[in-house]
Amino acid sequence: MYGLVFSLFFSRMDPEDAHHLAFRVIRALPTLGIGRVVEQFTKPDPSLAVETLGLTFPSPFGVAAGFDKDGFAVRGLGNLGFGHVEVGTITAIAQPGNDRPRLFRLIGDRALVNRMGFNNGGADAAVGRLSRLSRRRRRPVLGVNIGKSRVTAVEDAVGDYERSTRVLAPFADYLVVNVSSPNTPGLRGLQELDALAPLLEAVRAASGSTPLLVKIAPDLVDDEVVRICELASRLGLDGIIATNTTISREGLRASAAEIERIGAGGLSGAPLAARSLEVLGLVRANVPGSMCVISVGGVETAADVQARLDAGANLVQGYSAFIYRGPLWARQINRGLARVRRERGAAASVTV
């Protein structure tokens, strides 16, 4: 049914307008009084619960940063069956992001290209919402993703991240340092070790007891991934998220003319799957077993999510396929994962 609605309606809308329309509906679920009713239909099976970062995640599957930039729809996304919601990217200073159009679909590739530019209301504006969310018992796990404000010079990035950390970390279940978006000038340069080490050290000191993770790009070469893993281990970070969007356009079905028309931005969705899985394997092999690894990039089905878990991810996130799969996406993933658990359990009992 949703496929037909997408084909006839959403695919004909501007992608950002379609996102805002769907977002308003999701945000309204708890306030309309139907959120808990929906939740009875979508909630994960208890067998899917994951213990990591000192937290209990009701499902290993959650929403990646970018969908809910300011933390307005966390409860509604939880009603839809997502085990955690990573809000953001939030910057210390409010910013409108890049000019529209800045979000594009590549339907034949099951992909998106975005150059949103961290559009958000800023850390100070988010505090009230996040503090209220943090006190609620019935909600998904809340991650907060922070990035550099566009007006802040790269050489002043540490202070910018520290400010966001001091404001937001007390209300986050976990905090993510985003140094890997391709849409903020100079940001990816912060992944270089000489810049990344002092940044992570400063944020670590400012974050207190809140678990801290770093999100990396798929466009790093393998040696760079390994070095970041070594740095994260040395600094005692709690986790790594792999990966953000890619600037690559290799292997797309879309025509060269369409790709040129869209222009710059981060590519997400199915074309990112292979590299995301490769980076996951590298990260898992080069960090302690106790470190949380979150895999994101190109997952669409329960089989995709299970493959990431089998490859060593503690948690898996998605975003782009939400546009193509619709509001029951998390339910489909959770039902599929539960079925895999039952089948593997049955097979194990037969073997024994």
Side-chain angles (χ1 to χ4, degrees):
M1 173 63 78
Y2 176 78
L4 182 62
V5 173
F6 176 82
S7 177
L8 295 178
F9 182 57
F10 285 120
S11 67
R12 301 171 188 272
M13 292 181 65
D14 172 84
E16 190 167 349
D17 290 341
H19 172 82
H20 290 317
L21 175 61
F23 188 87
R24 285 195 292 270
V25 174
I26 295 169
R27 178 182 177 180
L29 287 176
T31 57
L32 291 175
I34 61 172
R36 292 193 179 183
V37 175
V38 172
E39 195 173 316
Q40 293 305 307
F41 181 65
T42 63
K43 64 182 179 182
D45 187 278
S47 67
L48 298 182
V50 175
E51 300 285 338
T52 187
L53 298 174
L55 304 163
T56 300
F57 292 74
S59 164
F61 187 57
V63 182
F67 188 87
D68 185 356
K69 297 182 182 299
D70 290 286
F72 283 108
V74 172
R75 293 171 60 206
L77 289 165
N79 293 151
L80 291 180
F82 292 98
H84 67 281
V85 177
E86 190 172 308
V87 303
T89 296
I90 299 176
T91 54
I93 301 170
Q95 56 190 45
N98 295 319
D99 294 338
R100 295 181 64 169
R102 54 191 180 178
L103 180 63
F104 308 86
R105 303 185 195 93
L106 294 176
I107 295 176
D109 288 291
R110 308 288 282 186
L112 299 175
V113 173
N114 92 82
R115 51 172 176 268
M116 303 299 290
F118 290 171
N119 53 308
N120 75 105
D124 292 336
V127 166
R129 285 187 299 280
L130 299 186
S131 64
R132 289 189 294 272
L133 276 169
S134 68
R135 295 192 295 269
R136 285 189 171 274
R137 294 181 60 188
R138 294 180 61 91
R139 61 168 176 83
V141 174
L142 176 64
V144 177
N145 183 300
I146 60 172
K148 185 186 76 67
S149 305
R150 192 180 187 95
V151 297
T152 299
V154 172
E155 55 268 27
D156 298 324
V158 170
D160 190 80
Y161 278 92
E162 280 183 311
R163 178 182 169 189
S164 294
T165 300
R166 286 192 296 269
V167 170
L168 299 173
F171 309 111
D173 291 322
Y174 70 87
L175 189 74
V176 181
V177 174
N178 185 350
V179 288
S180 50
S181 170
N183 298 316
T184 296
L187 186 74
R188 285 193 167 191
L190 295 174
Q191 292 176 116
E192 297 175 6
L193 293 193
D194 288 347
L196 187 59
L199 171 60
L200 292 179
E201 288 172 344
V203 174
R204 171 81 284 176
S207 62
S209 60
T210 303
L212 180 64
L213 300 86
V214 62
K215 187 169 186 176
I216 62 174
D219 305 308
L220 296 169
V221 300
D222 290 357
D223 286 348
E224 291 173 322
V225 173
V226 172
R227 288 196 292 272
I228 290 176
C229 290
E230 292 170 349
L231 174 64
S233 301
R234 177 169 61 80
L235 296 180
L237 264 61
D238 299 282
I240 293 176
I241 300 182
T243 61
N244 212 316
T245 58
T246 179
I247 58 174
S248 172
R249 299 293 188 266
E250 292 184 7
L252 294 178
R253 296 180 182 178
S255 68
E258 183 177 9
I259 294 169
E260 184 177 0
R261 177 186 62 81
I262 288 172
L267 174 73
S268 60
L272 185 55
R275 179 55 182 167
S276 177
L277 186 56
E278 287 176 356
V279 176
L280 166 61
L282 276 172
V283 171
R284 186 74 277 172
N286 287 280
V287 298
S290 58
M291 183 178 287
C292 178
V293 179
I294 302 178
S295 182
V296 55
V299 297
E300 183 166 341
T301 67
D304 296 333
V305 175
Q306 188 62 57
R308 303 302 174 94
L309 298 173
D310 292 341
N314 300 89
L315 303 168
V316 181
Q317 296 176 342
Y319 173 2
S320 298
F322 204 171
I323 283 76
Y324 298 111
R325 287 277 178 167
L328 296 182
W329 185 39
R331 179 183 185 275
Q332 294 163 1
I333 296 290
N334 289 327
R335 294 298 187 273
L337 293 176
R339 184 168 58 253
V340 170
R341 299 285 198 283
R342 291 193 298 269
E343 291 171 352
R344 291 183 176 183
S349 64
V350 170
T351 303
V352 172

